[in-house]
Amino acid sequence: MKIVSLLPSATEIICSLGLQDQLVGVTHECDYPTGVEELPKVTQTLIPNDATSGEIDALVRERLQTERALYSLDMPVLESLQPDLIVTQALCDVCAVAESEVNAAACSLPGQPNVVNLEPTNLSEMMQCIQMVGDAAECPSQAQQLIKQLTRRVEQVAKRSHELRSSSQNSIPSVMLLEWIDPPFSAGHWSPELVHLAGGRECIGKAGERSVTTPWDAIRQADPEVLFIACCGFSVERTLQDLPILKNYPGWQSMQCVQHGRVYVVDGSAYFSRPGPRLVDSLEILANTLHPDVHPLPDGFPAAKQIKPTS
């Protein structure tokens, strides 16, 4: 079977199912696991490489108003690959090729490949997406096994956090998971669920709902004990470039997360933004950040980068 992935999380699901050798085309953003970046690229973006966060946000808002896609298919490449299965998404209006374009392309291709559309809004639905891909790729048992492994890891974190909540000696910190800096966005979808499982209390984002622009005054008033920054699509290094913007917001220095040195940055491109198997990695990284004495950081996982008050 020849498979084309139209989003990075789908690529990670496909490869986690042991199907990397059947993957023939990916997006321009697919970079994990190693090797997929060498495959033919079937998408392209209108976002300039050097665009600032504010410029990217403006482009996204313009796209939502005009229904002009920021991402498009490279039809000649897609046609040459002759896929049997295309895995795409309809969850986010701005982070992938428009659903209508994908469906039109599939209808025009020889053999009309099967299209699987992923729309997870929480951990459970992400697991269901793994099964959907496994069923479509004719490997349902591999999907079931992967789901069991991931579920076991989630349950281990949840059990330790439950014990924390049951103990009067431990406090549950208020947390804001920040998805964008300019302008600030609170993280929705699965992120508040991850915060809860990790032993925190998300004070702004709503589980299962979309990430939304959040007025800085609302963040100041919430005054989270922990600020966890996972900018969508950004590496740690790219996120740190925007840190001066965050520090210039009114009242930054007076926030308790800043005063107590509990501001952290993680690779939002690799973790938190992609609803695939590495959401469980994201959970384990977050849990270790909130309660390092209770939640061990698995070997090989990157710890969240702490931003000290003077840095």
Side-chain angles (χ1 to χ4, degrees), residues 32 149-150 153-154 156-157 160 266-267 270-272 277-289 295-305:
Y32 186 88
Q149 294 170 357
L150 294 173
R153 289 166 57 191
V154 172
Q156 289 172 347
V157 173
R160 292 192 295 266
V266 72
D267 187 331
Y271 306 102
F272 293 92
R278 284 199 292 177
L279 276 190
V280 179
D281 300 13
S282 305
L283 169 63
E284 292 169 331
I285 292 169
L286 176 59
N288 172 259
T289 304
H295 296 293
L297 185 68
D299 292 341
F301 281 30
K305 179 177 179 60

Side-chain angles (χ1 to χ4, degrees), residues 5-17:
S5 168
L6 296 185
L7 67 160
S9 60
T11 296
E12 296 187 19
I13 290 173
I14 291 163
C15 294
S16 293
L17 291 173

Side-chain angles (χ1 to χ4, degrees), residues 153-167:
R153 289 166 57 191
V154 172
E155 289 173 344
Q156 289 172 347
V157 173
K159 182 174 184 249
R160 292 192 295 266
S161 292
H162 177 72
E163 292 170 352
L164 270 174
R165 295 178 190 277
S166 301
S167 173

Side-chain angles (χ1 to χ4, degrees), residues 2 15 19 81 90 136 193 222 263 300:
K2 292 187 290 185
C15 294
L19 303 174
L81 297 175
E193 179 184 6
V263 177

